[in-house]
Amino acid sequence: MTTALAFRDVNAFYGPAQALFGMQLTVGAGETVALLGRNGAGKTTTMRAAMNILVRRTGEIDVLGEPAKGTSDRIARRGVGWVPDDRRIFPTLTVRENLLLAQKSARAKDREPVEFDEVLEILPIMKRLIDRRGSALSGGEQQAVAIARAIVARPRLLLLDEPTEGLAPVIVEELQRAVADLPGRFGMSILLAEQNLAFVQSIAQQVLVLETGRLVYSGTAAEFAADPSIRERFLAIGSA
Ligand code: ATP
């Protein structure tokens, strides 16, 4: 398997409203691809289309070498971890219990979970959170737990939806180190929706820019960094 995720000419719809138009993308094995775009550009919809949830699609989507058909649970079983932007930590459970559930669910899907020690090595912030309840965590701490929970299941493809949104810089740095570590450590492929350009440029090899559901730019991270006009045109941001 050399391609973790492929979209060929994908359109996506919410009822009669079209949210993606002719989307093309490829995430190679072990590669990190960033999806940039303003609010409402279609980043979340791209992830939902890959998971076959909430949207109607046309065109072709392959996830880990097979068509993305069936329920999102079935697609996840192939080895896909999805961290939606609302995080969805269980508030009444402790962080440890949240992670234990993820381990149990990974075993039920015949996946060998990542041990706690390794998760704590990847995300050291988890050490002081482990006995806290989900409801007692800040937004950044919840995001760290949501990512840790996805890592536990040892996904081959990780879909990360705006992990740094609204977070303090110190947590963003920790998440950056953690996400950067995953391809080398586990051979993971990553699709990362983001608006934080510094985060993207430190992690991704490829950059895609979406505007109102259309792919308007695709290039290597180095090409993207070297061309500030892309940022000005599509993202209304002058510098990283
Ligand atoms: P954000 O950063 O705001 O999440 P995004 O790039 O992820 O932005 P999407 O959430 O994919 O964008 O939204 C793409 C388009 O689809 C927008 O016009 C949005 O209003 C619309 N949309 C998203 N979710 C739904 C839904 N559940 N029902 C109807 N329209 C939706």
Side-chain angles (χ1 to χ4, degrees):
M1 200 248 335
T2 54
T3 302
L5 179 65
F7 278 47
R8 283 178 296 275
D9 209 14
V10 172
N11 301 303
F13 305 83
Y14 294 101
Q18 187 164 356
L20 288 181
F21 299 80
M23 181 68 177
Q24 313 276 354
L25 78 82
T26 305
V27 182
E31 190 182 33
T32 298
V33 175
L35 202 52
L36 298 177
R38 297 188 179 102
N39 288 341
K43 305 180 296 296
T44 299
T45 303
T46 301
M47 296 194 175
R48 288 176 180 158
M51 299 305 290
N52 198 18
I53 193 164
L54 291 169
V55 287
R56 185 169 63 78
R57 317 160 307 176
T58 66
E60 287 177 50
I61 303 177
D62 287 337
V63 172
L64 297 167
E66 287 175 52
K69 299 227 168 90
T71 61
S72 57
D73 191 51
R74 204 173 133 198
I75 294 169
R77 272 173 187 268
R78 291 182 201 162
V80 186
W82 179 30
V83 183
D85 51 3
D86 60 7
R87 294 158 195 164
R88 296 184 202 167
I89 298 300
F90 293 111
T92 59
L93 302 184
T94 64
V95 170
R96 186 187 304 276
E97 287 163 343
N98 269 280
L99 297 184
L100 279 171
L101 269 185
Q103 286 192 325
K104 202 170 153 193
S105 140
R107 285 198 192 93
K109 292 173 183 155
D110 294 325
R111 303 196 63 78
E112 183 57 39
V114 175
E115 292 303 329
F116 274 15
D117 285 354
E118 192 168 7
V119 175
L120 299 182
E121 192 183 311
I122 298 167
L123 278 162
I125 188 182
M126 303 295 291
K127 289 180 194 156
R128 64 178 169 77
L129 303 181
I130 199 87
D131 291 315
R132 286 213 224 145
R133 293 206 182 276
S135 56
L137 303 178
S138 71
E141 290 164 349
Q142 284 180 41
Q143 186 59 266
V145 176
I147 293 175
R149 200 170 53 177
I151 293 171
V152 159
R154 210 183 285 272
R156 290 191 286 153
L157 171 65
L158 184 62
L159 308 176
L160 281 178
D161 198 349
E162 300 210 33
T164 72
E165 195 181 9
L167 304 189
V170 59
I171 293 206
V172 171
E173 276 169 33
E174 171 142 353
L175 297 184
Q176 188 170 314
R177 277 193 295 275
V179 177
D181 190 22
L182 299 175
R185 190 184 277 266
F186 299 114
M188 236 178 246
S189 310
I190 300 173
L191 180 66
L192 169 72
E194 252 309 331
Q195 304 210 34
N196 178 334
L197 295 185
F199 189 83
V200 160
Q201 286 177 2
S202 71
I203 291 176
Q205 287 87 53
Q206 296 286 330
V207 174
L208 308 175
V209 181
L210 276 174
E211 191 178 54
T212 52
R214 290 177 173 85
L215 194 61
V216 289
Y217 175 81
S218 161
T220 65
E223 286 164 352
F224 177 77
D227 191 348
S229 70
I230 306 294
R231 301 197 281 274
E232 281 155 20
R233 268 172 72 199
F234 300 120
L235 303 168
I237 300 166
S239 61

